[in-house]
Amino acid sequence: GDASAFQIIYSANSERIGPNPGRITVGTRIDIPCLGETVASTAAPLTQEVGIERLPFPNERQIRFLTATGWAPYLNEDQEQGGMLNEVANVAMSTAPGNPDYKIDFVNDWGSHLTPLLSDHAFDLGLAWFEPNCDVIDRLGGDSQFRCNNYVWSDPMFEQIVSYYVPAGVTYDSYDDLMGKSICRPAGYATFMLEENGLVEPNITFTQPNDPAECARGLADGTFDVFVIANDVGDGVLVTEGLTDQITSLEPLGQVLNLGAVISVNHPQRDEILGVFNAGLQEIKDSGQWIENVRRHLSEFRAMPQG
């Protein structure tokens, strides 16, 4: 009943559909999650820390997770369980084999997460970071190259759909068709998905305003040719700005980005910790707890006033 809620449907069927959510083969059987069903959280309360100066060095027998707020619906202190991905981590660890001891802490200084808190092993796993395509590291920018060289990702905690929005009636069939175009992506958002496809200056004209709504308005008035943003954010902006009839997304160019926990490549217990966490993730995906959590958080977020 809501075509814009396809991220939830894709999340329930990602293995069947594959990496391009815009291309579904005729005859593919997919499961449609029930949107009206109420599912309560089963996760334990999260620990919330203020600042970093008072944090003790982690006990060797305890796995320490580092998270932050301000990225709804994924990581946000104002939401249930601190957001969707914090709850995924909490439930995964509570069902992981061996009943591991763990703790999830908020440190609301994103700039300190990768370095020094994770690089120095003061924390074990960081929640949550996009995984660039490190197989084409020579095409990536310096920030993405740093992550590829210094961190290892868990299995995907969530697969986010990023859409390429254009004025209604405009069609591009490949990333090569975007060469020479003006592309808008808000400041502070990752750009590796553009870098890996060669969509960098001088191949394109790139603009990064502070507000995603500026990209949408600029697309509508002809300032920009393409607006790149996660579909859940983009669709909300189009509704708020009243542009749903003027702007559409390019299905052939939609990308799926993996969001996972990261750990330093030099962590002495890297493989052991990742193994425990990945086992817990697989358990909740097999049991259905993962999609229940994803559906609940995304549905509640979509029901909130946007903007």
Side-chain angles (χ1 to χ4, degrees), residues 24 73 143 162 302:
I24 301 176
D143 183 63
V162 167
R302 293 193 63 80

Side-chain angles (χ1 to χ4, degrees), residues 7 11 74 84-85 156-160 257-259 294 298:
Q7 170 75 70
S11 295
Y74 307 110
M84 182 177 74
L85 297 182
M157 299 176 65
F158 182 68
E159 294 160 308
Q160 184 187 62
L257 308 182
N258 291 336
L259 270 167
V294 167
L298 292 183

